Amino acid sequence: MQNASDFTIDFMKALKRRSQCPISSSLEIWGDKWSLLIIRDLMFNKKLTYGDLLKTEEKISTNILANRLVMLENHGLIQKLVHPESKAKVLYQLTPKGVDLIPVIVEINLWAEKYFTLTEEKKSLIKEIKMDKEKFILDSMNSLLQP
Amino acid sequence: MQNASDFTIDFMKALKRRSQCPISSSLEIWGDKWSLLIIRDLMFNKKLTYGDLLKTEEKISTNILANRLVMLENHGLIQKLVHPESKAKVLYQLTPKGVDLIPVIVEINLWAEKYFTLTEEKKSLIKEIKMDKEKFILDSMNSLLQP
DNA sequence: AAAATCACTTGCATTTTGCAAGTAAATTAA
DNA sequence: TTAATTTACTTGCAAAATGCAAGTGATTTT
């Protein structure tokens, strides 16, 4: 289905921008139902395997996950790492470009807290954000950027 | 194609959440390539007609625009207004729920400015945001919330 | 009255999504 | 050592969404 040259076509298509608008350009990379969920998971867990990402509550499909990981990797938001214990496993982590999406993730959380009913766990996370948003963002980014 | 009962099914489907996660719940409403572009346009222009929204640089298709407008309206992010001059025209504007997405839009702009080449116009907008982000957000929201 | 504009709707081809089975390489269990 | 399991995808297929362009009924303009 999706072989190397098909993928290249998709990737090249994504490089051709609908407009010069920053919002539009961004949505072309991660404006779908799944990509920010992957960013979310890597933000909270630092390094995850393909299998870890498959097991989330939202139950992403294998082909969608594979496709999104390749897109995010090719756009420089995530990178693959060698797994310390197993050649069969791949680890993914955010790049600095991906880490820079944390303020977006934080603002989405704040918006959602206002309009959705959330679990106590999510509520306490958001309470923590609200105590000092900028500090939360900075700490999260620093934590993710060190090895 | 999309009649009232088909639409109800779609809308009810969107109410059933993949998970309790705030990010996931949000993406289920506006996590696509087009919805935040509509929010963007209403943020900068306050009230727009269907035809105005069709004429943007990104060239959204008529069926996609119609579908997104209905979804955003049904989820309470935008509302329709009677046009002061014409029964043929409909005006759309952001509700407070939609206005509350401005911090998200702002953070996306800041992210994009770091990773894309932007026009001078967009650069100066972002320069203005950076001068005092919270003030920019507050002023934008207040401006949109008054009649 | 005819033509143009408006907000959609529709037909159709293409693309994407989602389900579930498949595959080759690596690892673990027997 | 062999067999079974795990891993990261890949694939086949049906359903759903997207995008192009024409269509439609109501309203407005010529």
Side-chain angles (χ1 to χ4, degrees), chain B:
Chain B
M1 184 198 89
Q2 185 95 302
N3 61 43
S5 77
D6 283 350
F7 182 77
T8 304
I9 293 171
D10 286 348
F11 186 61
M12 294 311 288
K13 208 176 287 180
L15 288 182
K16 185 177 173 59
R17 290 151 71 178
R18 293 180 289 186
S19 77
Q20 299 303 308
C21 168
I23 306 293
S24 181
S25 304
S26 302
L27 295 179
E28 282 182 312
I29 297 176
W30 50 255
D32 60 82
K33 297 270 191 297
W34 297 104
S35 295
L36 287 182
L37 293 185
I38 294 170
I39 303 289
R40 172 201 68 185
D41 293 337
L42 290 172
M43 174 186 154
F44 288 121
N45 295 283
K46 276 202 175 186
K47 297 175 193 179
L48 292 170
T49 64
Y50 175 87
D52 293 331
L53 289 161
L54 263 189
K55 279 181 281 189
T56 65
E57 203 181 343
E58 294 86 13
K59 304 187 196 318
I60 188 170
S61 296
T62 57
N63 54 332
I64 303 302
L65 178 58
N67 176 270
R68 291 293 180 281
L69 287 172
V70 171
M71 284 296 285
L72 291 171
E73 188 188 357
N74 281 290
H75 281 287
L77 275 73
I78 66 174
Q79 66 196 339
K80 282 187 184 182
L81 301 179
V82 174
H83 197 284
E85 294 154 23
S86 164
K87 282 200 207 151
K89 297 189 180 193
V90 179
L91 278 175
Y92 293 93
Q93 79 174 1
L94 294 173
T95 62
K97 188 174 180 181
V99 170
D100 279 338
L101 277 172
I102 292 185
V104 175
I105 298 285
V106 165
E107 293 296 343
I108 297 172
N109 272 298
L110 293 174
W111 182 81
E113 187 253 358
K114 208 168 172 182
Y115 296 107
F116 294 102
T117 306
L118 304 181
T119 60
E120 290 306 318
E121 180 194 11
K122 299 300 181 185
K123 282 187 193 168
S124 68
L125 168 70
I126 289 168
K127 189 174 175 186
E128 195 186 334
I129 292 172
K130 280 183 170 179
M131 276 198 276
D132 188 337
K133 180 168 65 172
E134 298 304 329
K135 182 173 190 294
F136 182 91
I137 289 170
L138 220 53
D139 287 351
S140 300
M141 289 168 104
N142 286 337
S143 166
L144 287 165
L145 290 171
Q146 51 189 336

Side-chain angles (χ1 to χ4, degrees), chain A residues 19 21 62 64 73 103 112:
Chain A
S19 77
C21 169
T62 57
I64 303 302
E73 188 187 357

Side-chain angles (χ1 to χ4, degrees), chain A residues 68-125:
Chain A
R68 292 293 181 279
L69 288 172
V70 171
M71 284 294 287
L72 291 173
E73 188 187 357
N74 280 289
H75 280 287
L77 276 74
I78 65 173
Q79 66 195 335
K80 282 188 184 182
L81 301 179
V82 174
H83 198 284
E85 294 154 23
S86 165
K87 280 200 208 151
K89 298 189 180 190
V90 179
L91 278 175
Y92 294 93
Q93 77 173 5
L94 293 173
T95 62
K97 188 175 180 180
V99 170
D100 279 339
L101 277 172
I102 291 184
V104 175
I105 298 286
V106 165
E107 292 296 344
I108 297 173
N109 271 297
L110 293 174
W111 183 80
E113 187 252 0
K114 208 168 173 181
Y115 296 108
F116 294 102
T117 307
L118 305 181
T119 60
E120 291 305 319
E121 181 193 8
K122 300 297 181 187
K123 282 187 194 169
S124 68
L125 168 70

